[in-house]
Amino acid sequence: MDNAAVIQTACGTANDLWKFASKGIGYQVVSASGKCLNVSGGTEVGNPLIQYTCSANGATNDTWLAVWEPVTT
């Protein structure tokens, strides 16, 4: 269902299964239901994560970059 909230729960169900689908320089994170991990309303800080229909070419709010950031102390 579009706009379903993304929540954290204990592991062990089909809802835990997500896959990475390559889109340009990033990835769409796709749930077992076929919906994409999406930032509701755009990419602004503080917007909630939802499940939403994946855009065919990868939209800015449903395409994720794999980035390594060093731990700073």
Side-chain angles (χ1 to χ4, degrees), residues 1-4 28-31 33-38 50-56 58-59 61-62:
M1 173 169 76
D2 281 349
N3 295 309
Q28 287 178 323
V29 182
V30 184
S31 70
S33 69
K35 300 291 183 178
C36 274
L37 181 62
N38 186 290
I50 60 170
Q51 293 183 59
Y52 202 81
T53 300
C54 300
S55 62
N61 63 335
D62 78 356

Side-chain angles (χ1 to χ4, degrees), residues 41-66:
T43 58
E44 290 77 28
V45 172
N47 287 359
L49 296 178
I50 60 170
Q51 293 183 59
Y52 202 81
T53 300
C54 300
S55 62
N57 296 317
T60 57
N61 63 335
D62 78 356
T63 303
W64 301 83
L65 301 176

